[in-house]
């Protein structure tokens, strides 16, 4: 059950009064952005088809860590979208792959609108502190052109971003305080969340030999595929729109980059047009292995 704040109703009234169709929610880690977004989905879906874009590759609600995800909500009874579209980033923080995240959010937002979203909520990541993060959100907001940006903050820590948005023509701004119900999560708890998601995703997976001769390799390609640069590395098989078909954990790539051995759930290999190489490594127990560096 969502513990709502009374001032969230003011936001709903503003959305209804001005007929906003796309909103972008931004704030630092542990400010309650996602809970607010879930509440908005819950309140809006009885009247509209709602597209929800989850932009957090570290603590994703809809998909696997290292991915950005989106789906449609069409009825109040839905606990999750019937179909989830994912873009593979290969890392757990946008700061490491800003351009890829920018493109992924654009493509996911476009996909929701193509599928009939009448109200789209973009739930940004908690990467919001510092000049680089502010610039990241500023560029993304300018590119997406949402009707409304909602800033959730403790004590005006996103003042610079707010000033930037106030100068943009046609984009409204609303600033909200952090919910009193927010429960901060430590870094170890966040890592355990990611590793639990990995274990659940790969629990029924087997090692497979995949012919990748007709796939385009992309992403963080090492100079050479060796045991050191491949084993344990997250990879993703992508369709022709570069949406995720399946994510895997590589064991080896050999035969002049024609064959990939990986731990991966069952999938139709004919759907895969691209093989994207990620930066994150997992150990045999599917825990994050930071002793290895991509490159």
């Amino acid at each position: 059950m969502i513990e709502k704040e009374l001032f969230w109703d003011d936001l709903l009234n503003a959305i209804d009064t001005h007929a906003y169709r796309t909103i972008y929610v931004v704030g630092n880690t542990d400010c309650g952005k996602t809970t607010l977004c879930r509440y908005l989905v819950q309140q809006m879906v009885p009247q509209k088809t709602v597209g929800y874009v989850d932009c957090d590759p570290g603590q994703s609600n809809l998909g696997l860590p290292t991915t950005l995800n989106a789906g449609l909500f069409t009825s109040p009874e839905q606990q999750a979208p019937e179909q989830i579209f994912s873009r593979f980033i290969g890392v757990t923080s946008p700061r490491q792959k800003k351009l890829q995240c920018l493109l992924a959010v654009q493509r996911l937002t476009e996909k929701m609108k193509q599928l009939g979203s009448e109200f789209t909520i973009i739930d940004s990541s908690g990467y919001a502190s510092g000049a680089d993060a502010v610039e990241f959100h500023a560029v993304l907001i300018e590119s997406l052109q949402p009707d409304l940006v909602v800033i959730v903050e403790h004590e005006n820590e996103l003042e610079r971003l707010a000033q930037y948005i106030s100068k943009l023509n046609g984009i409204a701004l609303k600033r909200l305080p952090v919910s009193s119900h927010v429960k901060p999560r430590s870094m170890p708890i966040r890592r355990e969340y990611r590793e639990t998601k990995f274990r659940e995703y790969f629990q029924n997976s087997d090692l497979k030999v995949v012919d990748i001769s007709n796939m385009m390799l992309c992403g963080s390609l090492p100079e050479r595929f060796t045991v050191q640069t491949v084993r344990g590395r997250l990879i993703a098989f992508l369709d022709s729109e570069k949406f995720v078909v399946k994510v895997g954990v590589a064991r080896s790539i050999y035969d002049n980059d024609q064959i990939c051995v990986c731990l991966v759930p069952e999938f139709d290999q004919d759907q895969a047009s691209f093989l994207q190489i990620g930066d994150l490594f997992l150990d045999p127990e599917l825990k994050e292995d930071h002793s290895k560096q991509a490159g």
Side-chain angles (χ1 to χ4, degrees):
M1 181 178 176
I2 296 174
E3 296 179 292
K4 77 160 192 171
E5 296 284 2
L6 292 177
F7 54 80
W8 289 359
D9 289 334
D10 295 334
L11 173 60
L12 276 173
N13 290 334
I15 291 170
D16 184 56
T17 299
H18 298 283
Y20 295 135
R21 297 190 62 184
T22 304
I23 71 168
Y24 185 97
V25 182
V26 59
N28 279 312
T29 299
D30 291 329
C31 73
K33 294 185 309 298
T34 296
T35 302
L36 170 61
C37 290
R38 286 171 51 215
Y39 175 73
L40 293 176
V41 169
Q42 189 181 80
Q43 296 301 306
M44 297 299 294
V45 79
Q47 296 87 33
K48 299 178 183 293
T49 296
V50 177
Y52 174 62
V53 183
D54 176 2
C55 305
D56 192 340
Q59 302 290 298
S60 177
N61 287 293
L62 294 185
L64 198 64
T66 70
T67 64
L68 305 190
N69 303 274
L72 287 181
F73 288 83
T74 58
S75 72
E77 292 76 27
Q78 270 184 276
Q79 297 299 311
E82 291 182 6
Q83 183 177 9
I84 295 172
F85 293 85
S86 302
R87 296 280 296 207
F88 183 68
I89 305 301
V91 294
T92 58
S93 172
R95 67 167 52 88
Q96 299 164 275
K97 296 285 181 180
K98 296 185 185 72
L99 289 177
Q100 290 87 338
C101 286
L102 289 168
L103 179 60
V105 176
Q106 286 179 318
R107 292 292 181 265
L108 290 167
T109 303
E110 290 168 1
K111 176 59 75 172
M112 292 299 96
K113 293 181 179 181
Q114 289 170 6
L115 294 175
S117 174
E118 299 169 294
F119 180 72
T120 305
I121 301 169
I122 303 163
D123 182 5
S124 71
S125 74
Y127 171 58
S129 293
D132 285 349
V134 169
E135 182 69 10
F136 170 77
H137 287 287
V139 171
L140 189 47
I141 289 165
E142 188 174 354
S143 174
L144 293 171
Q145 290 290 300
D147 301 306
L148 172 68
V149 174
V150 179
I151 291 179
V152 183
E153 55 192 341
H154 292 273
E155 294 182 356
N156 299 322
E157 62 269 19
L158 295 182
E159 176 65 25
R160 183 179 173 193
L161 180 60
Q163 290 180 3
Y164 182 93
I165 295 165
S166 69
K167 302 292 185 182
L168 294 174
N169 185 43
I171 298 178
L173 171 66
K174 193 166 184 65
R175 301 173 78 170
L176 298 181
V178 171
S179 168
S180 61
H181 303 296
V182 167
K183 297 178 176 62
R185 291 181 294 168
S186 66
M187 293 301 291
I189 289 175
R190 289 174 175 275
R191 178 180 287 192
E192 177 57 31
Y193 173 84
R194 294 194 296 269
E195 292 174 350
T196 297
K197 297 271 277 191
F198 285 131
R199 288 194 297 270
E200 291 173 350
Y201 184 85
F202 291 111
Q203 64 182 346
N204 295 317
S205 302
D206 298 309
L207 277 179
K208 294 180 177 60
V209 178
V210 181
D211 181 353
I212 59 173
S213 58
N214 290 321
M215 300 181 198
M216 176 64 69
L217 272 62
C218 60
S220 298
L221 299 174
E223 290 186 10
R224 293 177 58 235
F225 288 117
T226 65
V227 171
Q228 183 64 25
T229 62
V230 172
R231 186 179 294 274
R233 196 166 187 154
L234 274 184
I235 58 175
F237 298 95
L238 314 177
D239 65 16
S240 59
E241 293 184 87
K242 298 197 76 176
F243 290 114
V244 172
V245 178
K246 285 295 176 186
V247 173
V249 182
R251 289 294 182 267
S252 63
I253 295 177
Y254 63 93
D255 196 13
N256 294 319
D257 306 343
Q258 305 291 297
I259 300 296
C260 176
V261 179
C262 58
L263 180 71
V264 65
E266 288 291 339
F267 74 104
D268 182 355
Q269 297 180 21
D270 291 335
Q271 291 184 358
S273 298
F274 297 87
L275 173 60
Q276 184 172 340
I277 310 298
D279 291 81
L280 185 67
F281 288 84
L282 300 181
D283 69 16
E285 296 181 351
L286 300 176
K287 294 183 178 181
E288 295 177 17
D289 185 354
H290 295 284
S291 67
K292 294 184 177 181
Q293 298 293 325

